[in-house]
């Protein structure tokens, strides 16, 4: 047998490979292979580029089409917003689409900077546009819509959404929920503020100690205090103790706080509502366009009854309840098993039976201890106040998102110390629950804002035709004025009509029309009267109903 030395063997092998490569190139059409933004040509047989000709040029990219924007937008239509169930192109999220040579850049403008899927959006957009044959580099910038509110309240025009945290029952942990929700939203990337609307018993000064308690002014307005970037305002920060005042005085004080506080540009303002359904609650729903409400309760039946009243109040003013938090739902205890003691007791019992020797009894005791541990949960939830009412709330009111918070000494201790629980315990199970609640608020607010834009009718006054246009329909000013249901026009207790149709001239006209909250239209009439018309009442009038549904007395 002939033996070849290593050098000669390697030379023959390389020569043979070169001949095979040449043969392959002669009979096989090159196959372009896309790698990232560049293209390489291979032989189709997996021949290493080491043996390819140095003179070969990489395959040129296809020409840029005239309608390149259409190509990019068509690719981006595959990115679907999970909350709004539409693609980001249809929703108008794609902004500033530009092309520099073959480099594509654009912004994706989300509804909020706290969007939980923004990183997924960014990676999906980049991948889809890179897959277009003529592109090279892709730059995606994630932005958020400018915050703005349709309100005449000075200092609130740059607030994106107002979230009411309400219970209609005192002592259920509403302020604890409001504070931790605010700091959880901030952790998701949003700009947040908290307004303590409970003037009779302000909680915010105890629960959140500001970084600096020096009051600063922005022009003639007061800048809110801050803690870790979350903006804070409460009657308790400017006046020690609670307000000892009658209802009308409290309403005026609330108006002043809403007017003089300069919140600036902000994504979410959390309103810590006082208990009940009285003057302050109604004033807030009228002065502010409350976007959504979070209801706080406890498992007791008495608390549930008050929650129902609160849900009905928000339903009357067209504010959706997006989540329910059940505080003090259970007491969590750890099941600490003394394994050594349990093993000794098992072994002693087995030896006492006389069926096993000492060594065998110990082994069997080990197995029994492991069996006990496998069937014993590490923690046990003891429902001190009963099973709660989350299921009833979900079934009766369609509130899908419900959360249970345990009765915990640490949550109470953080509330008393001035440091929110979410800040002090960032990795705890309860903090994760607050973050889930914050994510729900972000998603539901986005859906609510889009649906409200389509639900609220377009109302304007046609001076020439002397009619009030409501979407594609209209109503005469005189008929709308005669339908006023205020206390001066209709007797509250009996429902007797005080205002007669003949008292209103056909020439009456609206001097000013503006939305009140999310649910009604305010009209200043030429006869000096001011009326408030819930949108439901206006729709009933358009439908020709002579006796509209009874609305909540405002």
């Amino acid at each position: 047998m002939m033996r070849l030395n290593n050098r000669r063997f390697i030379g023959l092998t390389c020569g043979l490979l070169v001949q095979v490569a040449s043969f392959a190139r002669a009979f096989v059409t090159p196959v372009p292979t896309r790698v990232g933004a560049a293209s390489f040509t291979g032989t189709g047989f997996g021949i290493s580029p080491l043996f390819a000709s140095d003179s070969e040029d990489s395959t040129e990219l296809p020409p840029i089409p005239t309608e390149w924007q259409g190509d990019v937008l068509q690719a981006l239509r595959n990115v679907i917003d999970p909350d709004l169930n539409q693609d980001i192109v249809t929703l108008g999220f794609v902004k500033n689409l530009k092309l520099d040579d073959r480099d594509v850049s654009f912004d994706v403008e989300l509804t909020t900077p706290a969007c939980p899927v923004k990183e997924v959006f960014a990676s999906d957009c980049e991948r889809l546009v890179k897959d277009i044959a003529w592109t090279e580099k892709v730059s995606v910038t994630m932005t958020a819509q400018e915050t703005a509110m349709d309100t005449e309240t000075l200092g609130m025009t740059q607030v994106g959404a107002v979230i009411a945290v309400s219970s209609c029952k005192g002592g259920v942990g509403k302020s604890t929920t409001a504070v931790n929700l605010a700091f959880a939203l901030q952790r998701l990337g949003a700009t947040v503020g908290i307004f303590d609307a409970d003037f009779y018993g302000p909680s915010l000064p105890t629960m959140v100690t500001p970084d600096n308690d020096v009051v600063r002014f922005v022009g003639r307005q007061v800048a809110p205090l801050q803690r870790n970037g979350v903006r804070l305002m409460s009657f308790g920060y400017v006046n020690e103790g609670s307000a000892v005042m009658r209802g009308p005085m409290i309403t005026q004080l609330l108006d002043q706080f809403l007017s003089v506080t300069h919140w600036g540009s902000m994504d979410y303002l959390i309103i810590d509502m006082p208990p009940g359904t009285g003057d302050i609650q109604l004033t807030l729903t009228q002065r502010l366009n409350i976007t959504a409400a979070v209801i706080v309760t406890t498992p007791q039946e008495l608390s549930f009854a008050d929650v129902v009243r609160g849900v009905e109040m928000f339903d009357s003013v067209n504010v959706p309840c997006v989540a329910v938090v059940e505080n003090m739902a259970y007491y969590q205890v750890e099941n600490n098993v003394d394994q050594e003691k349990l093993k000794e007791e098992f072994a002693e019992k087995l030896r006492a039976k006389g069926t096993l020797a000492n060594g065998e009894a110990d082994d069997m005791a080990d197995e029994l201890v492991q069996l006990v541990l496998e069937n014993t949960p590490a923690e046990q939830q003891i429902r001190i106040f009963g099973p709660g009412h989350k299921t009833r709330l979900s079934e009766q009111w369609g509130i899908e998102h419900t959360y249970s918070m345990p009765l915990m000494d640490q949550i109470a201790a953080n509330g008393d110390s001035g440091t929110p629980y979410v800040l002090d315990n960032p990795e705890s199970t309860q903090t994760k629950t607050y973050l889930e609640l914050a994510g729900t608020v972000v998603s539901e607010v986005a859906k609510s804002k889009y649906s409200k834009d389509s639900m609220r009718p377009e109302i304007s006054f046609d001076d020439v035709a002397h009619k009030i246009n409501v979407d594609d329909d209209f109503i005469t000013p005189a008929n709308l004025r005669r339908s006023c249901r205020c206390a001066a026009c209709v007797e509250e207790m009996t429902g007797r009509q005080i205002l007669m149709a003949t008292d209103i001239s056909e020439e009456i006209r609206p001097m000013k029309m503006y939305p009140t909250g999310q649910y009604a239209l305010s009209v200043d009439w030429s006869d000096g009267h001011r009326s408030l018309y819930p949108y439901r009442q206006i729709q009933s009038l358009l439908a020709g109903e002579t006796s509209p549904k009874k609305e909540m007395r405002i």
Side-chain angles (χ1 to χ4, degrees):
M1 178 182 291
M2 185 174 66
R3 300 177 64 183
L4 297 175
N5 60 38
N6 290 340
R7 181 176 299 177
R8 185 178 180 188
F9 176 77
I10 293 172
L12 290 173
T13 303
C14 290
L16 179 61
L17 286 173
V18 170
Q19 292 180 24
V20 172
S22 300
F23 178 81
R25 281 195 295 270
F27 291 94
V28 180
T29 303
V31 180
T33 304
R34 180 81 171 181
V35 182
S39 295
F40 299 91
T41 302
T43 63
F45 283 125
I47 303 299
S48 171
L50 176 66
F51 303 110
S53 171
D54 293 334
S55 62
E56 288 188 67
D57 296 325
S58 60
T59 303
E60 293 184 1
L61 294 174
I64 300 173
T66 304
E67 299 182 9
W68 62 270
Q69 295 99 328
D71 282 4
V72 175
L73 294 176
Q74 188 60 37
L76 293 175
R77 288 185 186 276
N78 292 299
V79 182
I80 307 297
D81 188 297
D83 297 323
L84 306 176
N85 294 319
Q86 293 191 55
D87 65 86
I88 61 174
V89 176
T90 301
L91 291 170
F93 288 177
V94 181
K95 308 282 187 180
N96 301 322
L97 179 58
K98 298 177 183 178
L99 180 65
D100 183 8
D101 194 9
R102 292 181 179 273
D103 300 344
V104 179
S105 64
F106 56 91
D107 299 341
V108 177
E109 186 181 76
L110 303 175
T111 55
T112 170
C115 177
V117 293
K118 58 184 176 183
E119 299 301 330
V120 177
F121 275 5
S123 61
D124 286 351
C125 291
E126 184 175 357
R127 174 179 53 81
L128 288 166
V129 177
K130 274 187 176 180
D131 285 344
I132 301 174
W134 51 263
T135 62
E136 287 189 346
K137 296 180 180 179
V138 178
S139 175
V140 183
T141 303
M142 306 302 292
T143 64
Q145 296 175 2
E146 292 185 5
T147 54
M149 177 178 290
D150 186 11
T151 179
E152 296 185 344
T153 302
L154 191 64
M156 298 283 292
T157 55
Q158 293 180 285
V159 176
V162 177
I163 312 299
V165 179
S166 176
S167 65
C168 299
K169 180 76 176 173
V172 299
K174 169 182 54 62
S175 297
T176 299
T177 301
V179 166
N180 285 290
L181 171 60
F183 282 88
L185 284 167
Q186 187 210 33
R187 186 165 163 181
L188 292 180
T191 307
V192 191
I194 311 174
F195 177 54
D196 185 358
D198 192 348
F199 289 86
Y200 291 117
S203 303
L204 197 59
T206 300
M207 303 192 73
V208 184
T209 302
D211 295 326
N212 192 327
D213 58 1
V214 177
V215 177
R216 292 179 172 82
F217 289 86
V218 180
R220 300 181 64 181
Q221 293 181 287
V222 178
L225 303 177
Q226 294 195 24
R227 172 68 180 268
N228 197 43
V230 173
R231 301 167 196 179
L232 315 166
M233 181 51 70
S234 170
F235 178 74
Y237 285 133
V238 297
N239 184 79
E240 292 185 5
S242 58
V244 183
M245 301 179 185
R246 295 185 182 274
M249 293 292 292
I250 286 290
T251 302
Q252 293 180 22
L253 187 61
L254 175 62
D255 281 338
Q256 292 178 7
F257 264 81
L258 292 175
S259 299
V260 303
T261 304
H262 180 78
W263 293 103
S265 179
M266 192 164 56
D267 300 310
Y268 301 97
L269 177 62
I270 306 299
I271 305 288
D272 184 5
M273 302 277 282
T277 55
D279 289 341
I280 293 181
Q281 290 82 357
L282 294 176
T283 300
L284 286 169
T285 56
Q286 290 178 355
R287 291 291 304 273
L288 305 178
N289 289 338
I290 297 180
T291 314
V294 173
I295 303 298
V296 183
T297 183
T298 57
Q300 295 96 324
E301 181 68 30
L302 183 60
S303 180
F304 174 77
D306 286 335
V307 164
V308 169
R309 296 187 186 97
V311 174
E312 289 177 343
M313 179 193 74
F314 284 117
D315 184 62
S316 298
V317 295
N318 201 26
V319 174
C321 297
V322 299
V324 172
V325 177
E326 191 176 61
N327 279 331
M328 297 174 272
Y330 56 89
Y331 183 70
Q332 193 162 290
V333 296
E334 295 182 359
N335 290 323
N336 295 319
V337 178
D338 190 338
Q339 298 184 38
E340 290 300 324
K341 183 178 180 181
L342 187 61
K343 178 182 174 182
E344 290 177 5
E345 292 180 358
F346 276 145
E348 184 178 343
K349 291 287 185 183
L350 291 170
R351 283 192 291 267
K353 294 290 185 180
T355 55
L356 295 174
N358 287 339
E360 293 175 338
D362 291 340
D363 293 340
M364 179 60 72
D366 274 333
E367 294 180 12
L368 291 173
V369 168
Q370 292 304 316
L371 187 62
V372 170
L373 292 176
E374 290 172 5
N375 290 274
T376 303
E379 296 177 335
Q380 183 179 1
Q381 296 180 359
I382 301 175
R383 296 191 170 269
I384 302 173
F385 304 115
H389 306 282
K390 291 196 306 180
T391 303
R392 289 172 62 186
L393 284 168
S394 179
E395 292 175 351
Q396 292 183 21
W397 298 98
I399 303 175
E400 300 178 4
H401 307 285
T402 58
Y403 301 90
S404 294
M405 296 300 297
L407 182 64
M408 280 185 64
D409 56 349
Q410 187 58 48
I411 293 179
N414 278 107
D416 293 339
S417 69
T419 300
Y421 179 84
V422 169
L423 286 183
D424 213 25
N425 305 271
E427 304 301 325
S428 70
T429 303
Q430 287 68 41
T431 294
K432 291 177 182 177
T433 302
Y434 282 123
L435 290 172
E436 290 176 9
L437 172 63
T440 293
V441 168
V442 170
S443 300
E444 292 298 320
V445 163
K447 290 189 285 188
S448 176
K449 290 173 77 173
Y450 269 78
S451 63
K452 275 189 172 61
D453 289 341
S454 59
M455 285 168 48
R456 180 188 291 180
E458 291 288 336
I459 301 178
S460 61
F461 177 58
D462 187 338
D463 195 9
V464 176
H466 196 71
K467 64 180 183 178
I468 297 173
N469 295 317
V470 184
D471 289 335
D472 297 328
D473 209 338
F474 73 91
I475 188 171
T476 64
N479 282 343
L480 186 61
R481 172 67 182 89
R482 291 165 184 150
S483 301
C484 180
R485 306 286 297 174
C486 74
C489 299
V490 177
E491 194 172 88
E492 282 193 89
M493 300 303 295
T494 64
R496 182 179 64 85
Q497 189 73 32
I498 299 174
L499 178 70
M500 297 291 104
T502 54
D503 296 338
I504 304 300
S505 167
E506 293 294 334
E507 301 301 317
I508 195 169
R509 57 193 295 113
M511 304 304 293
K512 185 179 181 181
M513 299 191 300
Y514 49 93
T516 295
Q518 299 282 12
Y519 72 101
L521 175 75
S522 289
V523 182
D524 293 344
W525 295 104
S526 56
D527 65 354
H529 189 75
R530 174 176 291 179
S531 300
L532 183 69
Y533 300 98
Y535 293 127
R536 296 174 184 175
Q537 181 185 1
I538 295 175
Q539 296 295 344
S540 297
L541 292 172
L542 292 172
E545 298 180 12
T546 55
S547 55
K549 293 180 181 179
K550 184 179 178 182
E551 301 291 339
M552 184 175 69
R553 187 73 60 193
I554 306 296

